[in-house]
Amino acid sequence: MGRPKKVSSEEMVKLLEAYYESDGCGDPSRLKFSKLEIYAAGQGIKAKAYDFKRDAKVRQRIRELEQEHEILLEQQMDTAYKTLDIEGILKKCRTVDDIITALQGMDDYWKRTCEHASSVINRDKKFMSEKASYESRVRKMEQELEECQKKIQDIQANAKRYEQENIYLRRILKTHLYPALANELLRESNLPVPDNTSVRPESFEKLIDGKFPSAFEGAQGVSEKKPDWKERLQNALESQVDKNGR
């Protein structure tokens, strides 16, 4: 005889449903993990009680079956209303004891009805309380999400402005500040330092004339386009031709 096979989560749910319809008699109170283990063994399947208990899908299916059973009971209670048959009671009851027995039976019936109605009301109150709690949490999360999105937009706007300001200040450093100091600032910022450290004549004239750069106002001119390697090579060749007179 072969060894019992291990059962998957989906197969355990099927075992649960089969047990519920057969040995469980459609009664959720009979859904015990120990009984499910015995039922599985009878089917030649290896599944311990703790396997059923630990499985999330099995526990979820048990909750669903319990809720379905409660709804079925409610429907039965709706259709099981008993009209008080006074004439029938009087015909059936010959003695005082008969009357007492009949009244006790009706009292027990309406007591069960009242208890069930009370349990349904309490369950609905619990559901409504949970629903309100979930809705409150959703509203709070939506508000937090909206605030986070606004912060992200502000950060992106500031980052763009800082990037523009950085480009503007770098150009100001190269144009107006003494090259040695400008290069040192660039090195401290881990930015590339140009090879040419001579002062530009046009920059020196601007300083003499008192034309100091204005503060960054969110707008900047077009950056000077740097020549590519072909243009640099051509310029170098032309300068050699001019120098040698050839």
Side-chain angles (χ1 to χ4, degrees):
M1 184 174 65
R3 297 176 59 186
K5 65 176 182 178
K6 291 185 178 181
V7 62
S8 65
S9 179
E10 289 74 14
E11 289 172 329
M12 280 193 289
V13 172
K14 291 181 179 179
L15 280 171
L16 166 67
E17 293 174 342
Y19 169 80
Y20 182 71
E21 295 296 334
S22 57
D23 296 8
C25 302
D27 185 359
S29 64
R30 296 191 179 188
L31 293 177
K32 307 297 183 182
F33 297 117
S34 57
K35 293 183 178 181
L36 290 174
E37 177 182 350
I38 296 173
Y39 181 80
Q43 304 296 318
I45 298 175
K46 182 180 178 180
K48 299 295 183 182
Y50 56 78
D51 292 329
F52 289 100
K53 185 176 181 180
R54 294 175 182 174
D55 193 88
K57 292 184 177 179
V58 170
R59 297 197 305 272
Q60 175 63 28
R61 185 55 181 149
I62 290 176
R63 288 192 293 268
E64 292 174 354
L65 291 173
E66 290 174 344
Q67 292 175 358
E68 292 172 3
H69 185 70
E70 287 184 6
I71 294 173
L72 179 61
L73 287 178
E74 290 178 14
Q75 294 174 346
Q76 291 176 349
M77 292 299 296
D78 291 339
T79 58
Y81 174 77
K82 290 185 177 181
T83 303
L84 186 60
D85 186 6
I86 299 175
E87 184 178 351
I89 293 174
L90 294 176
K91 290 181 179 179
K92 185 168 56 176
C93 298
R94 302 294 183 181
T95 64
V96 175
D97 291 339
D98 292 340
I99 296 174
I100 293 174
T101 302
L103 292 176
Q104 287 177 342
M106 288 188 292
D107 182 69
D108 291 339
Y109 175 81
W110 291 115
K111 181 180 180 180
R112 291 195 304 270
T113 303
C114 181
E115 289 175 348
H116 179 73
S118 178
S119 66
V120 171
I121 291 173
N122 292 333
R123 186 198 64 185
D124 290 344
K125 287 181 179 179
K126 180 182 177 182
F127 288 162
M128 292 300 294
S129 176
E130 292 177 352
K131 179 175 178 290
S133 176
Y134 291 146
E135 289 176 346
S136 176
R137 290 172 59 185
V138 169
R139 287 194 298 269
K140 183 178 179 181
M141 293 173 66
E142 289 176 345
Q143 183 178 1
E144 291 176 352
L145 176 61
E146 184 178 353
E147 292 175 355
C148 289
Q149 290 176 339
K150 186 177 183 304
K151 289 180 180 179
I152 291 174
Q153 292 175 354
D154 294 340
I155 291 173
Q156 290 175 341
N158 290 334
K160 185 176 181 180
R161 175 178 173 82
Y162 291 149
E163 182 181 0
Q164 294 175 345
E165 185 175 0
N166 183 44
I167 296 173
Y168 177 80
L169 294 176
R170 287 178 62 186
R171 187 166 67 247
I172 293 301
L173 285 175
K174 293 179 182 179
T175 305
H176 296 282
L177 203 59
Y178 188 74
L181 178 58
N183 292 338
E184 184 62 27
L185 292 175
L186 292 173
R187 290 190 187 94
E188 291 179 358
S189 301
N190 296 321
L191 296 173
V193 180
D195 296 332
N196 183 14
T197 58
S198 60
V199 180
R200 297 181 181 180
E202 63 273 14
S203 300
F204 190 74
E205 292 175 359
K206 289 181 181 179
L207 291 175
I208 293 176
D209 295 338
K211 298 178 180 179
F212 294 99
S214 60
F216 179 71
E217 297 179 353
Q220 55 184 347
V222 180
S223 300
E224 181 181 355
K225 182 180 179 182
K226 295 182 179 180
D228 57 17
W229 68 272
K230 294 181 179 179
E231 294 176 345
R232 292 198 301 271
L233 178 60
Q234 182 177 355
N235 293 335
L237 292 174
E238 290 177 354
S239 63
Q240 290 296 326
V241 170
D242 295 337
K243 181 178 180 181
N244 298 328
R246 297 179 181 176

